[in-house]
Amino acid sequence: MANITLISGSTLGSAEYVAEHLEEKLQDAGFSTETLHGPELDDVPLEGIWLLVTSTHGAGELPDNLLPFFDALQEKRPDLSAVRFGAVGIGNREYDLFCGAIKQLETLLSELGAKRVGDRLEIDVLEHEIPEDPAEEWVASWYPQL
């Protein structure tokens, strides 16, 4: 089975919990995984499969712990054509820029050549008190597409 690098960005911890839960489900399905919370660009392999899980804060902004990664991608513009990725956003639909952080990341990764696998999951915290539940359901339909 493939290696999957889970990359999380979180302000209050929800995205970290979701990433860790998804890591367990992927391991149960036979994948090898590594979870990186707010990694530096140098910590992430520039090939393979990434699963991005991030919350959004403020006006559609990335969490502080994911900004260095995002900024490094923008500055260095690495070739990510060997990367396939999944995208999970956590936000609140009451805000205009619901799940804005994952959308920014997804746009940047696509510009750099990465290819998204499956649909993006957007979790509304007002609708799902436990965001791990919709994420678990989504990942079960995501990994067969790999």
Side-chain angles (χ1 to χ4, degrees):
M1 285 280 192
N3 293 329
I4 299 175
T5 303
L6 291 95
I7 300 167
S8 76
S10 192
T11 300
L12 300 174
S14 292
E16 287 183 15
Y17 300 139
V18 169
E20 290 168 359
H21 185 73
L22 294 179
E23 179 178 39
E24 283 179 32
K25 296 301 166 190
L26 290 165
Q27 289 174 349
D28 289 348
F31 293 94
S32 58
T33 62
E34 178 180 18
T35 298
L36 304 170
H37 300 299
E40 297 291 327
L41 181 57
D42 293 342
D43 298 333
V44 181
L46 299 182
E47 61 185 18
I49 302 165
W50 295 359
L51 179 51
L52 299 142
V53 181
T54 185
S55 59
T56 297
H57 79 97
E61 297 159 10
L62 287 133
D64 288 344
N65 73 332
L66 205 53
L67 275 175
F69 175 71
F70 184 82
D71 290 344
L73 284 171
Q74 281 189 310
E75 284 177 28
K76 296 180 180 177
R77 315 255 343 140
D79 176 8
L80 298 182
S81 59
V83 172
R84 294 182 296 149
F85 70 94
V88 177
I90 302 170
N92 178 331
R93 279 203 197 276
E94 290 185 348
Y95 290 90
D96 291 339
L97 297 170
F98 173 64
C99 287
I102 196 65
K103 292 172 186 173
Q104 288 180 60
L105 265 171
E106 191 174 334
T107 298
L108 180 57
L109 293 179
S110 295
E111 288 173 8
L112 298 174
K115 303 286 185 263
R116 188 181 75 202
V117 174
D119 294 329
R120 174 181 58 241
L121 174 64
E122 296 179 352
I123 300 170
D124 182 353
V125 294
L126 297 179
E127 193 176 312
H128 299 283
E129 189 175 316
I130 302 172
E132 290 89 336
D133 291 345
E136 180 177 335
E137 187 176 313
W138 174 87
V139 81
S141 66
W142 177 73
Y143 69 73
Q145 299 176 61
L146 297 173

